[in-house]
Amino acid sequence: MKRINAVVLDWAGTTVDFGSFAPTQIFIEAFHGVFDIDITLAEARIPMGLGKWQHIEALGKLPTIDARWQHRFGRSMTTDDINAIYEAFMPLQIAKVVDFAAPIEGVVDTVSILRASGIKIGSCSGYPRAVMEKLVPAAEKLGYRPDYWIASDDLVAGGRPGPWMALQNIIELGIDSVAHCIKVDDAAPGIEEGRNAGMWSVGLALSGNEFGKTWDEYQRMSADDVAHLRQQAANKLFAAGAHYVIDTLADLPDLIEKINVRLANGERP
């Protein structure tokens, strides 16, 4: 049958950690702790979705951060600098990630709905394996575990925005066609990953990095403020190539029905 057989889900900001705060705050701490360079939360979010070493590299290339680096050291960030920050980042992230393992509201029920309809649950992350080995069991204790997961440093080919982690999910889950799969992510590199893998690519406008609010902050926002940030997030995700943008994973089952109609009519992503 021409229907969705699998979804490949991101982690922070998609299935756990509403607002994607676990990685962003650690980047801020690592930059300050190693080189006494202050970066903002907004800056830390810009490359979100990349592998963490690549994320640090991308931060160093931002004009604002490069200017601070040049002012302090008289040069741009080097590979040795990236390695030093990464080495500081890793133990901090490993220690902190379990504090952000709670499934986002609606995720556990949504996964149950998808499984009941025969859809397999894959996942991948910008986190390296050392972090995922802490996050996965912590999330499982709180009700969420996918059928398969892979980390950003597991494959020689690399991570996002390349298609390799998403495609490895399809191999391990035994899915017959990438056109029968959906990649769901809250950040641009993950959307590009899905497109590069030939899948339907779906962005999340409220729960993740682009919206950038905690659950409590979101609950206190006015309807106008929510609408404004939602639109900003959606625009970024569509610009990255998203076929659809929904608010949270809880909206996915209804969207899958629409995609199944398109598949039945012979359409592909």
Side-chain angles (χ1 to χ4, degrees):
M1 291 179 62
K2 293 182 178 180
R3 60 185 297 274
I4 294 300
N5 295 323
V7 296
V8 180
L9 308 177
D10 178 47
W11 281 77
T14 297
T15 53
V16 300
D17 186 11
F18 190 99
S20 193
F21 279 89
T24 48
Q25 187 57 44
I26 303 303
F27 285 123
I28 293 170
E29 294 178 22
F31 269 76
H32 181 80
V34 177
F35 288 108
D36 197 27
I37 295 286
D38 292 324
I39 68 173
T40 68
L41 183 59
E43 289 170 332
R45 288 188 179 282
I46 291 172
M48 191 59 67
L50 297 177
K52 300 314 172 194
W53 195 95
Q54 291 76 16
H55 189 128
I56 295 166
E57 179 184 38
L59 286 173
K61 293 179 179 178
L62 292 178
T64 53
I65 295 177
D66 181 59
R68 280 171 236 156
W69 212 273
Q70 293 276 1
H71 178 74
R72 181 174 292 276
F73 301 110
R75 57 172 175 79
S76 294
M77 184 186 288
T78 67
T79 298
D80 287 342
D81 296 335
I82 299 169
N83 288 336
I85 295 172
Y86 185 76
E87 288 172 7
F89 170 88
M90 281 295 290
L92 290 170
Q93 188 68 91
I94 291 169
K96 293 278 190 179
V97 73
V98 295
D99 296 334
F100 296 86
I104 293 167
E105 184 160 325
V107 165
V108 174
D109 289 343
T110 297
V111 167
S112 295
I113 291 169
L114 298 181
R115 283 191 170 128
S117 64
I119 294 173
K120 295 181 179 180
I121 312 298
S123 72
C124 56
S125 177
Y127 284 135
R129 174 159 285 269
V131 176
M132 291 299 292
E133 287 176 344
K134 296 292 185 181
L135 176 58
V136 171
E140 183 176 13
K141 289 179 181 178
L142 297 170
Y144 170 66
R145 184 180 179 98
D147 299 320
Y148 176 75
W149 63 269
I150 187 168
S152 62
D153 57 350
D154 280 343
L155 299 176
V156 174
R160 299 165 180 159
W164 306 289
M165 288 194 296
L167 293 176
Q168 188 65 26
N169 269 269
I170 301 317
I171 293 169
E172 296 293 335
L173 296 173
I175 304 303
D176 60 355
S177 171
V178 291
H180 298 163
C181 305
I182 299 174
K183 173 68 206 306
V184 185
D185 210 293
D186 63 296
I191 297 298
E192 295 174 39
E193 173 189 28
R195 292 298 300 249
N196 290 335
M199 302 175 181
W200 301 92
S201 204
V202 175
L204 301 182
L206 283 188
S207 65
N209 180 68
E210 300 301 345
F211 196 79
K213 300 294 183 183
T214 67
W215 175 258
D216 288 341
E217 287 172 337
Y218 164 55
Q219 294 296 301
R220 293 194 299 267
M221 290 172 65
S222 70
D224 286 346
D225 286 343
V226 169
H228 175 70
L229 272 185
R230 178 195 282 121
Q231 191 60 56
Q232 281 190 338
N235 289 344
K236 291 182 181 179
L237 295 166
F238 279 127
H243 293 95
Y244 297 94
V245 174
I246 54 181
D247 282 352
T248 70
L249 199 70
D251 301 313
L252 188 61
D254 288 342
L255 177 59
I256 287 175
E257 293 305 314
K258 296 177 182 178
I259 295 175
N260 282 339
V261 171
R262 295 182 66 179
L263 287 170
N265 289 333
E267 294 185 57
R268 296 175 62 87

